[in-house]
């Protein structure tokens, strides 16, 4: 059965914020206001109906300052960028992350985008995410230590 996703509504925000913050090591913890702002500026946000998974993506015109997003903006004139994708532990192994990526890919292609960008933690490592990105045709294009954080990331791109 294919997965279906929808845009979040206000009533979803507490559950989605908890999902994000439960995975702060991979994603970065946000306050309610920071999360609201992220959703407001996002180019595309989709959630599973039961709120067990979500994706937040930007395009090159998103009004957002972030070291990772800025890295891509400095190198590519036009792109879609997956800022975060997260799946609750109870929903893993069902293909939700891949399906959320496919949703973003379809939306990006519909807008004429030709490149999808993402990053994955190098330190602390996230081998499951590395494996997903590799299996979906992403190639590493760089890495960076994150300013003010004990974390480094690998940058990935894939043609659309």
């Amino acid at each position: 059965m294919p997965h279906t996703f929808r845009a979040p509504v206000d009533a979803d925000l507490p559950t989605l914020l908890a999902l994000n913050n439960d995975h702060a090591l991979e994603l970065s913890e946000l306050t309610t206001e920071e999360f609201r702002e992220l959703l407001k500026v996002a180019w595309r946000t989709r959630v599973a109906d039961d709120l067990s998974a979500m994706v937040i993506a930007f395009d090159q015109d998103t009004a957002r300052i972030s070291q990772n997003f800025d890295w891509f903006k400095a190198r590519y004139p036009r792109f879609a960028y997956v800022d975060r994708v997260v799946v609750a532990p109870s929903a893993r192994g069902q293909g939700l992350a891949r399906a959320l990526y496919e949703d973003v890919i379809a939306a990006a292609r519909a807008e004429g985008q030709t490149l999808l960008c993402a990053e994955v933690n190098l330190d602390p490592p996230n081998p499951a995410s590395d494996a997903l990105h590799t299996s979906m045709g992403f190639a590493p294009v760089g890495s960076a230590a994150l300013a003010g954080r004990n974390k480094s990331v690998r940058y990935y791109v894939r043609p659309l």
Side-chain angles (χ1 to χ4, degrees), residues 29-102:
E29 189 164 349
L30 297 173
T31 65
T32 300
E33 207 38 59
E34 288 168 334
F35 189 64
R36 229 179 252 290
E37 182 62 23
L38 190 69
L39 294 177
K40 189 167 80 175
V41 302
W43 163 74
R44 186 164 186 84
T45 303
R46 289 294 177 267
V47 300
D49 283 333
D50 64 358
L51 305 181
S52 64
M54 73 172 165
V55 64
I56 299 174
F58 305 149
D59 70 5
Q60 71 284 336
D61 298 324
T62 299
R64 171 110 173 118
I65 296 171
S66 121
Q67 182 178 344
N68 294 327
F69 179 59
D70 291 345
W71 191 94
F72 291 109
K73 277 188 83 156
R75 287 160 179 82
Y76 305 105
R78 191 162 157 71
F79 60 91
Y81 165 74
V82 173
D83 180 69
R84 59 196 62 220
V85 61
V86 60
V87 177
S90 62
R92 291 193 181 140
Q94 300 173 26
L96 282 164
R98 183 177 297 274
L100 285 165
Y101 263 98
E102 293 296 343

Side-chain angles (χ1 to χ4, degrees), residues 2-3 14 19 28 36 42 61 73-74 86 99 105 108-109 112 119 137 148 156:
H3 298 288
L19 179 64
S28 74
R36 229 179 252 290
D61 298 324
K73 277 188 83 156
V86 60
I105 288 166
R109 283 181 175 149
E119 88 278 340
Y156 283 103

